[in-house]
Amino acid sequence: MSLDLNLVTEVFPTTFSTISSIEHASHQIHRFTVFDYGIFVLLLGISVFIGIYFGFFSKIKQDNVEEYLLGGKSMPKFPVAASLIATSVSGITLLGVPTDIYAYGTQIWMFMISAVVVGLVMHYIYLPVFLDMQLTSSFSYLEQRFDRIVRLTASFVFALSALFLIPVVIYVPALAFSQVSGINLHLVTPILCVVCIFYTTVGGLRAVVWTDTLQFLLMIAAILAIVILGIVDVGSFAEVWRRADRGGRLIFFGTDPDPTQRTSFWCVVFGLTTNWIAVFGINQACIQRFLAVPTRKAAKNSLKIYIFGLITINSLACFIGLLMYAKYEACDPVTTKQVEKLDQVVPFYVMDAGGKIPGLPGLFIVGVFSAALSTMSSSLNTLAGTIYEDFIRPFRPNVSERSSSTAMKMIVVILGVVVIVLVFVVEKMGSVIQIVVSCTGVISGSVMGMFTLGMVSTRANTKGVVSGVVISISCMITLWISSLGKLHYDYLLLRNDGCDEGILFSLDNSTVTNNSPSPSEDLPYIFRISFMYYSLIGLIIFLVVAYSVSICTGGGKVVDQRLLTPFVRCKDDINCNIKLTVKISDDRLLDDSAKDKI
C-alpha cells in the first residue's frame, strides 16, 4: 500500500480514526537523547546538501522538463528502484502495519502474492506501453488513447487525492516524533516540509531519487535494528513465533469466503492485489521513475528490485508486529493504560525496547520520517509535472524548456505551502482524516480501469470510459458513505493477566480482554462488505459499464498500436490497415528526437 499509501489507510483505519490521541500519552514514553536528535538533524542536513549539489554544482543542470522530471533518462537502476520503494513505503506503513498484525493477526502478510502479481502485470501489460510511448505524464497516454477530456479527468482526480494524502503522510510521523521527543508538533512539521520542498524544488528528480535512496537505506537500517533488538529481547525467532501462535496471531489462510470478513485469504489475494495494481502499476510517480533509466533492460531490472523491496520491507514491518505481541503477550499496554490507543503501541515499543541504546529510537523515528519525506518529495515532483503538463503547458505552447522547468519549480513551492497549511487542518479533523484518505481508495478501481481497458481492448471509446468512471465512482461513494463509521472489527485477544502490580494500578482486576465492538449486524449486508474489496468492486463496475457503453456507441479505433499492450497489438499491417507497432531495441529507449522521426 510495501503497502501503497491509498491501501494502508484503508486496511488500517484505526491508525487515523484515533490518531489525535497520541499526544495525550506522550508523558508515559521515554524521551529522545542527544544521540537521537543528532541522527535526526544529520538526515535533514544530508537531504539539504543533496538538493544543493544537484541544483547548483552538478554538471547536469535541471533547466528543462526532461531533466527536471525524468533526470535526463540517465538515472542508475538501483537508485531508481530504491526511490520507487521509498516512495511506496510511507511512515504510515511502518506504524500501521505492525499495529494491524498486533491486533488482527498475520492474514495481511499474504500480500506477498499481491506483490508478485503486480510485478507480472507491470512487466507484461503496463510497462511495455509506457516505455514505448516515452511520455512525461502517464495521463498523456489517456489523451492519445481516448481524448483530452479523459486525460484531464484522471489528472484532476490524481492531483486532488495526492493533496489530501501528502499532509496525512507528514502529520502521522510528525505526531509520533512529537510524542517521543516532546517537541511541539507545530514546530516539527513546518521544518520538515520546508526541507523537503527545498531539495525537491532545487534538485529536481535527481535530488529526489538520491535522497530517496538515502532514506531507503535508513529505513532498512532502522527496521533491521528494531527486529534484531526485538529478537534478542524475546530470546529467539522461534520463541517469537511460538508466542504469536499461542496468541492466535498466525493466520495466513483464512479461507472463509464471506466478503464481510475484515481480512481473509480471498480479500487479500483479490482485493489487495487490485488495489496494489492501481497504486503501483499506473501511479504517475512510479511510471516517472521507470522512464528515468536509460535502457529498457534497466527499467525491467528496476521493476524486479522494486517488487523484491516491497515484499522485504512489508514483511519486516509485519514481523515487528509479531515482536510487539511477543513482548506484550501477557501485558498489553493498551488495556493497562500505558498508552491510550492502539495507534501508540509502535512508538511505545520502540522506546520501551530500544530506549536504553543511545541513538536507536532516533534511528527508527528517522526511518519513519525518511519514508514520509520520500513520499512527500516524490509526490510533489510528480504533482508539479502533472499540473504543468496537463493544465498549464497547453496554454503556453511556445515557452522555452528553461521557463517550463522554472514554472514547475514554482509549482512545487506553491504546493509545498498548501501542504503545510493542510497539515494544520488535518490536525483539527480528528476522525475525518479517515474519511479524507479512504475516499482516494474509492476511485482507484475506476482509474485502474481506464488504463487497463485502454491497453487491452480496441473496442473501448471515450463515451464508455467516461460513463464507467461516473457510475463506478458514484456507486463506490454510496457504498463507502453508507458504511462509514458503522463497521467495527473485533481485535484478537489482548491480555493483561501477566502484568506487574505496578502496571495494573489503573485496573480493577487482571483480565483477558477484547476492546473493540463487534460489527453492526443491523447494517444491510452490502454495506458490510470489507473495505479491502472496494478497489475490486469499483474496477468490475467500471469494466462492465465502460465496455457495454463502448460497444453500444460504435466501439473505438486504435491508430497507433503502441497504445495497446504487446499481446493485443495487431501484427499484420495488411489486415490491420493501421500503424504497426514500432520495434524498439532492448538496449536503448527512444529519445524524443527519435520519436519525432517515426
Side-chain angles (χ1 to χ4, degrees):
M1 193 177 279
S2 126
L3 301 177
D4 110 59
L5 190 54
N6 295 355
L7 169 67
V8 171
T9 52
E10 289 181 354
V11 176
F12 314 115
T14 55
T15 302
F16 296 91
S17 62
T18 57
I19 197 167
S20 61
S21 63
I22 290 182
E23 294 172 297
H24 303 309
S26 61
H27 65 281
Q28 298 180 358
I29 300 178
H30 303 293
R31 298 297 191 188
F32 264 18
T33 66
V34 64
F35 296 99
D36 301 312
Y37 285 115
I39 293 175
F40 192 77
V41 172
L42 183 62
L43 166 69
L44 298 183
I46 295 177
S47 298
V48 170
F49 172 78
I50 291 175
I52 293 175
Y53 173 77
F54 283 108
F56 300 105
F57 299 102
S58 175
K59 295 180 180 179
I60 302 176
K61 301 301 181 183
Q62 316 284 327
D63 56 2
N64 61 69
V65 174
E66 182 179 287
E67 271 298 334
Y68 191 77
L69 294 180
L70 302 179
K73 301 180 184 177
S74 60
M75 297 298 298
K77 62 183 179 184
F78 177 77
V80 169
S83 177
L84 280 165
I85 298 168
T87 300
S88 302
V89 178
S90 71
I92 300 170
T93 305
L94 300 182
L95 295 175
V97 174
T99 299
D100 196 78
I101 295 290
Y102 180 82
Y104 297 106
T106 59
Q107 183 65 79
I108 193 66
W109 210 330
M110 296 308 293
F111 68 77
M112 292 185 289
I113 296 176
S114 301
V116 172
V117 175
V118 169
L120 292 175
V121 298
M122 283 276 290
H123 184 275
Y124 290 106
I125 297 179
Y126 301 111
L127 196 55
V129 176
F130 288 119
L131 291 177
D132 285 356
M133 299 304 296
Q134 285 292 290
L135 303 171
T136 304
S137 168
S138 64
F139 299 114
S140 59
Y141 164 82
L142 295 175
E143 180 177 9
Q144 295 194 28
R145 176 62 181 86
F146 300 106
D147 60 21
R148 186 161 184 79
I149 295 176
V150 176
R151 171 180 178 169
L152 293 179
T153 300
S155 297
F156 176 77
V157 170
F158 165 76
L160 192 61
S161 62
L163 278 177
F164 279 128
L165 286 174
I166 297 174
V168 179
V169 168
I170 291 296
Y171 175 72
V172 173
L175 198 54
F177 177 78
S178 177
Q179 175 186 349
V180 299
S181 68
I183 298 179
N184 192 296
L185 173 70
H186 299 161
L187 178 63
V188 175
T189 303
I191 293 176
L192 293 172
C193 289
V194 168
V195 169
C196 186
I197 293 166
F198 175 80
Y199 73 72
T200 303
T201 303
V202 173
L205 183 69
R206 289 180 177 274
V208 170
V209 167
W210 282 107
T211 50
D212 282 354
T213 302
L214 166 68
Q215 291 155 3
F216 167 73
L217 295 176
L218 286 173
M219 275 191 288
I220 292 292
I223 292 174
L224 289 177
I226 295 300
V227 167
I228 293 172
L229 181 66
I231 293 175
V232 171
D233 185 42
V234 173
S236 67
F237 177 87
E239 180 61 23
V240 174
W241 212 253
R242 277 193 295 270
R243 295 186 186 183
D245 186 36
R246 193 162 56 216
R249 260 58 184 180
L250 302 184
I251 310 170
F252 293 103
F253 297 99
T255 55
D256 187 345
D258 183 2
T260 64
Q261 294 289 317
R262 182 182 185 274
T263 52
S264 67
F265 178 80
W266 306 115
C267 72
V268 171
V269 169
F270 293 109
L272 182 58
T273 298
T274 304
N275 203 305
W276 276 32
I277 293 174
V279 172
F280 301 142
I282 55 178
N283 183 279
Q284 168 66 11
C286 296
I287 297 302
Q288 187 174 326
R289 279 154 183 73
F290 285 124
L291 295 179
V293 295
T295 67
R296 184 176 292 265
K297 182 178 180 180
K300 293 179 179 179
N301 287 337
S302 295
L303 173 61
K304 294 175 183 177
I305 299 172
Y306 175 42
I307 297 301
F308 176 78
L310 286 178
I311 294 175
T312 301
I313 293 270
N314 280 277
S315 293
L316 289 172
C318 288
F319 188 68
I320 290 177
L322 294 184
L323 287 172
M324 293 194 307
Y325 180 77
K327 183 173 180 62
Y328 303 125
E329 178 188 18
C331 189
D332 168 53
V334 179
T335 58
T336 56
K337 309 301 181 183
Q338 296 177 79
V339 296
E340 292 188 357
K341 298 293 181 180
L342 188 65
D343 310 307
Q344 302 167 308
V345 175
V346 176
F348 178 85
Y349 172 76
V350 171
M351 297 304 295
D352 187 22
K356 297 180 180 179
I357 301 178
L360 182 58
L363 180 63
F364 183 81
I365 296 299
V366 162
V368 173
F369 260 110
S370 295
L373 286 174
S374 63
T375 302
M376 179 179 178
S377 62
S378 298
S379 298
L380 288 178
N381 183 265
T382 301
L383 259 181
T386 300
I387 292 174
Y388 183 78
E389 290 289 328
D390 294 350
F391 298 101
I392 298 178
R393 191 163 194 167
F395 302 99
R396 309 175 71 210
N398 299 320
V399 175
S400 67
E401 287 293 304
R402 181 182 293 274
S403 297
S404 297
S405 177
T406 301
M408 281 186 287
K409 292 178 180 180
M410 294 177 61
I411 293 173
V412 170
V413 174
I414 294 172
L415 289 173
V417 174
V418 172
V419 166
I420 292 176
V421 174
L422 289 178
V423 168
F424 293 99
V425 175
V426 164
E427 181 189 13
K428 305 299 182 183
M429 294 175 70
S431 61
V432 181
I433 298 175
Q434 180 184 343
I435 300 175
V436 175
V437 177
S438 298
C439 183
T440 60
V442 172
I443 66 172
S444 60
S446 58
V447 173
M448 174 186 172
M450 284 191 281
F451 286 92
T452 304
L453 191 62
M455 291 182 185
V456 303
S457 173
T458 60
R459 304 301 302 275
N461 62 25
T462 299
K463 294 179 181 178
V465 170
V466 172
S467 299
V469 169
V470 172
I471 295 178
S472 175
I473 293 181
S474 299
C475 290
M476 295 314 300
I477 288 178
T478 301
L479 177 62
W480 171 61
I481 292 179
S482 298
S483 61
L484 192 63
K486 301 175 183 177
L487 290 180
H488 305 283
Y489 302 96
D490 290 343
Y491 302 153
L492 297 177
L493 294 181
L494 301 175
R495 297 169 48 197
N496 57 49
D497 54 300
C499 296
D500 295 334
E501 291 184 3
I503 297 178
L504 294 172
F505 70 93
S506 62
L507 301 179
D508 295 332
N509 50 43
S510 183
T511 60
V512 178
T513 183
N514 180 319
N515 54 339
S516 69
S518 299
S520 176
E521 296 297 336
D522 57 350
L523 195 65
Y525 186 84
I526 190 173
F527 299 129
R528 286 187 277 132
I529 293 177
S530 172
F531 48 81
M532 290 191 69
Y533 283 115
Y534 282 5
S535 290
L536 178 60
I537 296 173
L539 174 64
I540 293 173
I541 294 174
F542 171 86
L543 293 177
V544 171
V545 173
Y547 191 77
S548 300
V549 173
S550 295
I551 295 299
C552 294
T553 55
K557 180 180 179 181
V558 180
V559 176
D560 189 344
Q561 288 288 285
R562 293 176 302 169
L563 295 168
L564 301 174
T565 198
F567 62 81
V568 178
R569 293 171 181 172
C570 184
K571 303 300 188 297
D572 187 345
D573 59 336
I574 296 177
N575 295 326
C576 293
N577 194 31
I578 51 180
K579 187 187 297 183
L580 282 175
T581 302
V582 178
K583 181 177 178 58
I584 300 178
S585 169
D586 286 337
D587 297 324
R588 175 63 66 179
L589 298 176
L590 287 176
D591 58 22
D592 290 336
S593 60
K595 284 171 56 182
D596 291 338
K597 297 176 182 178
I598 295 175

